[in-house]
PDB file of all heavy atoms in Angstrom:
ATOM      1  N   ALA A   1     257.263  13.192 207.385  1.00 93.00           N
ATOM      2  CA  ALA A   1     258.653  13.382 206.960  1.00 93.00           C
ATOM      3  C   ALA A   1     259.119  14.815 207.194  1.00 93.00           C
ATOM      4  O   ALA A   1     260.251  15.036 207.650  1.00 93.00           O
ATOM      5  CB  ALA A   1     258.790  13.012 205.485  1.00 93.00           C
ATOM      6  N   THR A   2     258.260  15.799 206.910  1.00 93.00           N
ATOM      7  CA  THR A   2     258.688  17.186 207.101  1.00 93.00           C
ATOM      8  C   THR A   2     258.844  17.537 208.579  1.00 93.00           C
ATOM      9  O   THR A   2     259.774  18.250 208.946  1.00 93.00           O
ATOM     10  CB  THR A   2     257.718  18.179 206.440  1.00 93.00           C
ATOM     11  OG1 THR A   2     256.420  18.025 206.989  1.00 93.00           O
ATOM     12  CG2 THR A   2     257.683  17.997 204.940  1.00 93.00           C
ATOM     13  N   VAL A   3     257.946  17.019 209.409  1.00 94.00           N
ATOM     14  CA  VAL A   3     258.076  17.289 210.850  1.00 94.00           C
ATOM     15  C   VAL A   3     259.325  16.603 211.399  1.00 94.00           C
ATOM     16  O   VAL A   3     260.094  17.210 212.159  1.00 94.00           O
ATOM     17  CB  VAL A   3     256.800  16.856 211.607  1.00 94.00           C
ATOM     18  CG1 VAL A   3     257.011  16.896 213.106  1.00 94.00           C
ATOM     19  CG2 VAL A   3     255.621  17.733 211.207  1.00 94.00           C
ATOM     20  N   LEU A   4     259.557  15.354 211.018  1.00 93.00           N
ATOM     21  CA  LEU A   4     260.768  14.663 211.466  1.00 93.00           C
ATOM     22  C   LEU A   4     262.022  15.357 210.945  1.00 93.00           C
ATOM     23  O   LEU A   4     263.037  15.420 211.649  1.00 93.00           O
ATOM     24  CB  LEU A   4     260.760  13.202 211.002  1.00 93.00           C
ATOM     25  CG  LEU A   4     259.895  12.241 211.783  1.00 93.00           C
ATOM     26  CD1 LEU A   4     259.940  10.855 211.157  1.00 93.00           C
ATOM     27  CD2 LEU A   4     260.345  12.162 213.229  1.00 93.00           C
ATOM     28  N   GLY A   5     261.945  15.875 209.728  1.00 91.00           N
ATOM     29  CA  GLY A   5     263.086  16.574 209.156  1.00 91.00           C
ATOM     30  C   GLY A   5     263.473  17.814 209.931  1.00 91.00           C
ATOM     31  O   GLY A   5     264.635  18.233 209.918  1.00 91.00           O
ATOM     32  N   ARG A   6     262.522  18.419 210.604  1.00 90.00           N
ATOM     33  CA  ARG A   6     262.824  19.602 211.424  1.00 90.00           C
ATOM     34  C   ARG A   6     263.505  19.217 212.735  1.00 90.00           C
ATOM     35  O   ARG A   6     264.287  19.981 213.286  1.00 90.00           O
ATOM     36  CB  ARG A   6     261.551  20.382 211.742  1.00 90.00           C
ATOM     37  CG  ARG A   6     260.857  20.936 210.554  1.00 90.00           C
ATOM     38  CD  ARG A   6     261.671  21.996 209.864  1.00 90.00           C
ATOM     39  NE  ARG A   6     261.027  22.374 208.609  1.00 90.00           N
ATOM     40  CZ  ARG A   6     261.562  23.138 207.716  1.00 90.00           C
ATOM     41  NH1 ARG A   6     262.766  23.637 207.895  1.00 90.00           N
ATOM     42  NH2 ARG A   6     260.916  23.419 206.612  1.00 90.00           N
ATOM     43  N   PHE A   7     263.209  18.029 213.248  1.00 89.00           N
ATOM     44  CA  PHE A   7     263.749  17.637 214.552  1.00 89.00           C
ATOM     45  C   PHE A   7     265.001  16.770 214.465  1.00 89.00           C
ATOM     46  O   PHE A   7     265.779  16.732 215.395  1.00 89.00           O
ATOM     47  CB  PHE A   7     262.678  16.910 215.369  1.00 89.00           C
ATOM     48  CG  PHE A   7     261.547  17.799 215.775  1.00 89.00           C
ATOM     49  CD1 PHE A   7     260.285  17.648 215.229  1.00 89.00           C
ATOM     50  CD2 PHE A   7     261.744  18.817 216.693  1.00 89.00           C
ATOM     51  CE1 PHE A   7     259.228  18.474 215.598  1.00 89.00           C
ATOM     52  CE2 PHE A   7     260.710  19.658 217.068  1.00 89.00           C
ATOM     53  CZ  PHE A   7     259.455  19.483 216.515  1.00 89.00           C
ATOM     54  N   LYS A   8     265.160  16.056 213.366  1.00 87.00           N
ATOM     55  CA  LYS A   8     266.328  15.185 213.203  1.00 87.00           C
ATOM     56  C   LYS A   8     267.177  15.701 212.049  1.00 87.00           C
ATOM     57  O   LYS A   8     266.785  15.600 210.894  1.00 87.00           O
ATOM     58  CB  LYS A   8     265.890  13.748 212.946  1.00 87.00           C
ATOM     59  CG  LYS A   8     265.145  13.146 214.112  1.00 87.00           C
ATOM     60  CD  LYS A   8     264.927  11.693 213.918  1.00 87.00           C
ATOM     61  CE  LYS A   8     264.266  11.136 215.178  1.00 87.00           C
ATOM     62  NZ  LYS A   8     264.449   9.729 215.298  1.00 87.00           N
ATOM     63  N   PRO A   9     268.342  16.241 212.363  1.00 80.00           N
ATOM     64  CA  PRO A   9     269.174  16.857 211.324  1.00 80.00           C
ATOM     65  C   PRO A   9     269.574  15.908 210.190  1.00 80.00           C
ATOM     66  O   PRO A   9     269.681  16.315 209.052  1.00 80.00           O
ATOM     67  CB  PRO A   9     270.413  17.339 212.084  1.00 80.00           C
ATOM     68  CG  PRO A   9     270.006  17.389 213.510  1.00 80.00           C
ATOM     69  CD  PRO A   9     268.916  16.384 213.687  1.00 80.00           C
ATOM     70  N   GLN A  10     269.800  14.625 210.484  1.00 85.00           N
ATOM     71  CA  GLN A  10     270.211  13.694 209.435  1.00 85.00           C
ATOM     72  C   GLN A  10     269.092  13.474 208.414  1.00 85.00           C
ATOM     73  O   GLN A  10     269.352  13.298 207.230  1.00 85.00           O
ATOM     74  CB  GLN A  10     270.709  12.364 210.000  1.00 85.00           C
ATOM     75  CG  GLN A  10     269.692  11.563 210.787  1.00 85.00           C
ATOM     76  CD  GLN A  10     269.635  11.908 212.255  1.00 85.00           C
ATOM     77  OE1 GLN A  10     269.966  13.014 212.654  1.00 85.00           O
ATOM     78  NE2 GLN A  10     269.197  10.970 213.074  1.00 85.00           N
ATOM     79  N   ILE A  11     267.842  13.535 208.841  1.00 85.00           N
ATOM     80  CA  ILE A  11     266.704  13.431 207.913  1.00 85.00           C
ATOM     81  C   ILE A  11     266.489  14.778 207.231  1.00 85.00           C
ATOM     82  O   ILE A  11     266.275  14.839 206.019  1.00 85.00           O
ATOM     83  CB  ILE A  11     265.427  12.992 208.652  1.00 85.00           C
ATOM     84  CG1 ILE A  11     265.594  11.595 209.215  1.00 85.00           C
ATOM     85  CG2 ILE A  11     264.215  13.047 207.729  1.00 85.00           C
ATOM     86  CD1 ILE A  11     264.453  11.142 210.110  1.00 85.00           C
ATOM     87  N   GLY A  12     266.539  15.845 207.994  1.00 85.00           N
ATOM     88  CA  GLY A  12     266.300  17.183 207.457  1.00 85.00           C
ATOM     89  C   GLY A  12     267.291  17.589 206.391  1.00 85.00           C
ATOM     90  O   GLY A  12     266.926  18.233 205.396  1.00 85.00           O
ATOM     91  N   SER A  13     268.554  17.207 206.546  1.00 85.00           N
ATOM     92  CA  SER A  13     269.550  17.592 205.551  1.00 85.00           C
ATOM     93  C   SER A  13     269.314  16.892 204.223  1.00 85.00           C
ATOM     94  O   SER A  13     269.650  17.425 203.166  1.00 85.00           O
ATOM     95  CB  SER A  13     270.959  17.304 206.066  1.00 85.00           C
ATOM     96  OG  SER A  13     271.124  15.920 206.283  1.00 85.00           O
ATOM     97  N   LYS A  14     268.716  15.717 204.247  1.00 86.00           N
ATOM     98  CA  LYS A  14     268.388  15.012 202.999  1.00 86.00           C
ATOM     99  C   LYS A  14     267.087  15.535 202.408  1.00 86.00           C
ATOM    100  O   LYS A  14     266.974  15.710 201.199  1.00 86.00           O
ATOM    101  CB  LYS A  14     268.270  13.517 203.256  1.00 86.00           C
ATOM    102  CG  LYS A  14     269.575  12.870 203.627  1.00 86.00           C
ATOM    103  CD  LYS A  14     269.393  11.415 203.949  1.00 86.00           C
ATOM    104  CE  LYS A  14     270.710  10.826 204.441  1.00 86.00           C
ATOM    105  NZ  LYS A  14     270.557   9.466 204.905  1.00 86.00           N
ATOM    106  N   LEU A  15     266.104  15.773 203.255  1.00 85.00           N
ATOM    107  CA  LEU A  15     264.793  16.199 202.792  1.00 85.00           C
ATOM    108  C   LEU A  15     264.806  17.643 202.305  1.00 85.00           C
ATOM    109  O   LEU A  15     264.205  17.971 201.285  1.00 85.00           O
ATOM    110  CB  LEU A  15     263.772  16.036 203.928  1.00 85.00           C
ATOM    111  CG  LEU A  15     262.318  16.259 203.596  1.00 85.00           C
ATOM    112  CD1 LEU A  15     261.850  15.243 202.564  1.00 85.00           C
ATOM    113  CD2 LEU A  15     261.472  16.147 204.849  1.00 85.00           C
ATOM    114  N   PHE A  16     265.501  18.505 203.021  1.00 85.00           N
ATOM    115  CA  PHE A  16     265.561  19.924 202.677  1.00 85.00           C
ATOM    116  C   PHE A  16     266.975  20.259 202.189  1.00 85.00           C
ATOM    117  O   PHE A  16     267.655  21.113 202.746  1.00 85.00           O
ATOM    118  CB  PHE A  16     265.201  20.793 203.874  1.00 85.00           C
ATOM    119  CG  PHE A  16     263.891  20.441 204.510  1.00 85.00           C
ATOM    120  CD1 PHE A  16     263.839  19.969 205.811  1.00 85.00           C
ATOM    121  CD2 PHE A  16     262.702  20.580 203.810  1.00 85.00           C
ATOM    122  CE1 PHE A  16     262.625  19.656 206.403  1.00 85.00           C
ATOM    123  CE2 PHE A  16     261.493  20.265 204.392  1.00 85.00           C
ATOM    124  CZ  PHE A  16     261.451  19.800 205.684  1.00 85.00           C
ATOM    125  N   SER A  17     267.412  19.612 201.149  1.00 86.00           N
ATOM    126  CA  SER A  17     268.804  19.744 200.710  1.00 86.00           C
ATOM    127  C   SER A  17     269.117  21.099 200.094  1.00 86.00           C
ATOM    128  O   SER A  17     270.281  21.456 199.942  1.00 86.00           O
ATOM    129  CB  SER A  17     269.132  18.638 199.706  1.00 86.00           C
ATOM    130  OG  SER A  17     268.281  18.732 198.577  1.00 86.00           O
ATOM    131  N   LYS A  18     268.101  21.888 199.741  1.00 84.00           N
ATOM    132  CA  LYS A  18     268.342  23.176 199.087  1.00 84.00           C
ATOM    133  C   LYS A  18     268.676  24.301 200.073  1.00 84.00           C
ATOM    134  O   LYS A  18     269.121  25.359 199.652  1.00 84.00           O
ATOM    135  CB  LYS A  18     267.133  23.569 198.252  1.00 84.00           C
ATOM    136  CG  LYS A  18     266.837  22.573 197.159  1.00 84.00           C
ATOM    137  CD  LYS A  18     266.276  23.239 195.966  1.00 84.00           C
ATOM    138  CE  LYS A  18     265.848  22.198 194.971  1.00 84.00           C
ATOM    139  NZ  LYS A  18     266.735  21.990 193.908  1.00 84.00           N
ATOM    140  N   ILE A  19     268.437  24.088 201.364  1.00 85.00           N
ATOM    141  CA  ILE A  19     268.797  25.135 202.329  1.00 85.00           C
ATOM    142  C   ILE A  19     269.929  24.611 203.212  1.00 85.00           C
ATOM    143  O   ILE A  19     270.063  23.402 203.407  1.00 85.00           O
ATOM    144  CB  ILE A  19     267.592  25.574 203.195  1.00 85.00           C
ATOM    145  CG1 ILE A  19     267.097  24.456 204.106  1.00 85.00           C
ATOM    146  CG2 ILE A  19     266.461  26.067 202.342  1.00 85.00           C
ATOM    147  CD1 ILE A  19     266.119  24.934 205.151  1.00 85.00           C
ATOM    148  N   PRO A  20     270.740  25.500 203.737  1.00 85.00           N
ATOM    149  CA  PRO A  20     271.842  25.076 204.604  1.00 85.00           C
ATOM    150  C   PRO A  20     271.308  24.356 205.859  1.00 85.00           C
ATOM    151  O   PRO A  20     270.253  24.720 206.379  1.00 85.00           O
ATOM    152  CB  PRO A  20     272.524  26.382 204.993  1.00 85.00           C
ATOM    153  CG  PRO A  20     272.093  27.375 203.973  1.00 85.00           C
ATOM    154  CD  PRO A  20     270.746  26.935 203.506  1.00 85.00           C
ATOM    155  N   PRO A  21     272.021  23.344 206.325  1.00 83.00           N
ATOM    156  CA  PRO A  21     271.562  22.574 207.495  1.00 83.00           C
ATOM    157  C   PRO A  21     271.288  23.427 208.731  1.00 83.00           C
ATOM    158  O   PRO A  21     270.390  23.121 209.509  1.00 83.00           O
ATOM    159  CB  PRO A  21     272.704  21.594 207.763  1.00 83.00           C
ATOM    160  CG  PRO A  21     273.415  21.473 206.468  1.00 83.00           C
ATOM    161  CD  PRO A  21     273.252  22.797 205.769  1.00 83.00           C
ATOM    162  N   GLU A  22     272.036  24.509 208.916  1.00 83.00           N
ATOM    163  CA  GLU A  22     271.822  25.339 210.111  1.00 83.00           C
ATOM    164  C   GLU A  22     270.524  26.141 210.022  1.00 83.00           C
ATOM    165  O   GLU A  22     270.042  26.640 211.031  1.00 83.00           O
ATOM    166  CB  GLU A  22     273.009  26.280 210.356  1.00 83.00           C
ATOM    167  CG  GLU A  22     273.297  27.261 209.245  1.00 83.00           C
ATOM    168  CD  GLU A  22     274.198  26.712 208.145  1.00 83.00           C
ATOM    169  OE1 GLU A  22     274.598  25.549 208.203  1.00 83.00           O
ATOM    170  OE2 GLU A  22     274.479  27.489 207.217  1.00 83.00           O
ATOM    171  N   GLU A  23     269.941  26.249 208.835  1.00 85.00           N
ATOM    172  CA  GLU A  23     268.680  26.982 208.677  1.00 85.00           C
ATOM    173  C   GLU A  23     267.452  26.080 208.730  1.00 85.00           C
ATOM    174  O   GLU A  23     266.336  26.578 208.671  1.00 85.00           O
ATOM    175  CB  GLU A  23     268.683  27.749 207.353  1.00 85.00           C
ATOM    176  CG  GLU A  23     269.609  28.929 207.336  1.00 85.00           C
ATOM    177  CD  GLU A  23     269.456  29.756 206.075  1.00 85.00           C
ATOM    178  OE1 GLU A  23     268.414  29.651 205.403  1.00 85.00           O
ATOM    179  OE2 GLU A  23     270.386  30.516 205.772  1.00 85.00           O
ATOM    180  N   ILE A  24     267.627  24.780 208.831  1.00 87.00           N
ATOM    181  CA  ILE A  24     266.483  23.858 208.826  1.00 87.00           C
ATOM    182  C   ILE A  24     265.529  24.160 209.971  1.00 87.00           C
ATOM    183  O   ILE A  24     264.320  24.101 209.808  1.00 87.00           O
ATOM    184  CB  ILE A  24     266.964  22.392 208.864  1.00 87.00           C
ATOM    185  CG1 ILE A  24     267.607  22.050 207.519  1.00 87.00           C
ATOM    186  CG2 ILE A  24     265.822  21.437 209.174  1.00 87.00           C
ATOM    187  CD1 ILE A  24     268.220  20.681 207.457  1.00 87.00           C
ATOM    188  N   ARG A  25     266.060  24.519 211.123  1.00 87.00           N
ATOM    189  CA  ARG A  25     265.213  24.819 212.284  1.00 87.00           C
ATOM    190  C   ARG A  25     264.952  26.304 212.483  1.00 87.00           C
ATOM    191  O   ARG A  25     264.120  26.676 213.306  1.00 87.00           O
ATOM    192  CB  ARG A  25     265.858  24.271 213.556  1.00 87.00           C
ATOM    193  CG  ARG A  25     265.851  22.784 213.636  1.00 87.00           C
ATOM    194  CD  ARG A  25     266.366  22.367 214.980  1.00 87.00           C
ATOM    195  NE  ARG A  25     266.356  20.919 215.106  1.00 87.00           N
ATOM    196  CZ  ARG A  25     266.812  20.290 216.150  1.00 87.00           C
ATOM    197  NH1 ARG A  25     267.315  20.972 217.144  1.00 87.00           N
ATOM    198  NH2 ARG A  25     266.762  18.988 216.205  1.00 87.00           N
ATOM    199  N   THR A  26     265.637  27.165 211.752  1.00 89.00           N
ATOM    200  CA  THR A  26     265.523  28.591 212.035  1.00 89.00           C
ATOM    201  C   THR A  26     264.887  29.412 210.920  1.00 89.00           C
ATOM    202  O   THR A  26     264.438  30.522 211.176  1.00 89.00           O
ATOM    203  CB  THR A  26     266.919  29.186 212.330  1.00 89.00           C
ATOM    204  OG1 THR A  26     267.762  28.972 211.201  1.00 89.00           O
ATOM    205  CG2 THR A  26     267.529  28.558 213.564  1.00 89.00           C
ATOM    206  N   ASN A  27     264.841  28.921 209.714  1.00 90.00           N
ATOM    207  CA  ASN A  27     264.290  29.668 208.584  1.00 90.00           C
ATOM    208  C   ASN A  27     262.765  29.612 208.645  1.00 90.00           C
ATOM    209  O   ASN A  27     262.128  28.662 208.185  1.00 90.00           O
ATOM    210  CB  ASN A  27     264.811  29.087 207.271  1.00 90.00           C
ATOM    211  CG  ASN A  27     264.438  29.915 206.074  1.00 90.00           C
ATOM    212  OD1 ASN A  27     263.422  30.608 206.072  1.00 90.00           O
ATOM    213  ND2 ASN A  27     265.258  29.830 205.043  1.00 90.00           N
ATOM    214  N   ILE A  28     262.154  30.635 209.226  1.00 93.00           N
ATOM    215  CA  ILE A  28     260.714  30.655 209.484  1.00 93.00           C
ATOM    216  C   ILE A  28     259.899  30.520 208.198  1.00 93.00           C
ATOM    217  O   ILE A  28     258.929  29.774 208.154  1.00 93.00           O
ATOM    218  CB  ILE A  28     260.313  31.945 210.243  1.00 93.00           C
ATOM    219  CG1 ILE A  28     261.046  32.038 211.579  1.00 93.00           C
ATOM    220  CG2 ILE A  28     258.806  32.016 210.452  1.00 93.00           C
ATOM    221  CD1 ILE A  28     260.763  30.919 212.532  1.00 93.00           C
TER     222      ILE A  28
END
């Protein structure tokens, strides 16, 4: 789920809801 959340924004925005969507792939 975490790996998919990094590659698919629709999953990542639900899984990592505490950070802004634009940071899902960039927040190291």
Side-chain angles (χ1 to χ4, degrees):
T2 59
V3 170
L4 282 177
R6 297 294 172 189
F7 293 111
K8 296 189 176 201
Q10 62 272 26
I11 296 173
S13 63
K14 293 177 185 174
L15 188 62
F16 307 116
S17 60
K18 299 213 187 259
I19 66 168
E22 61 274 2
E23 289 187 20
I24 290 175
R25 290 186 179 177
T26 59
N27 188 332
I28 300 299

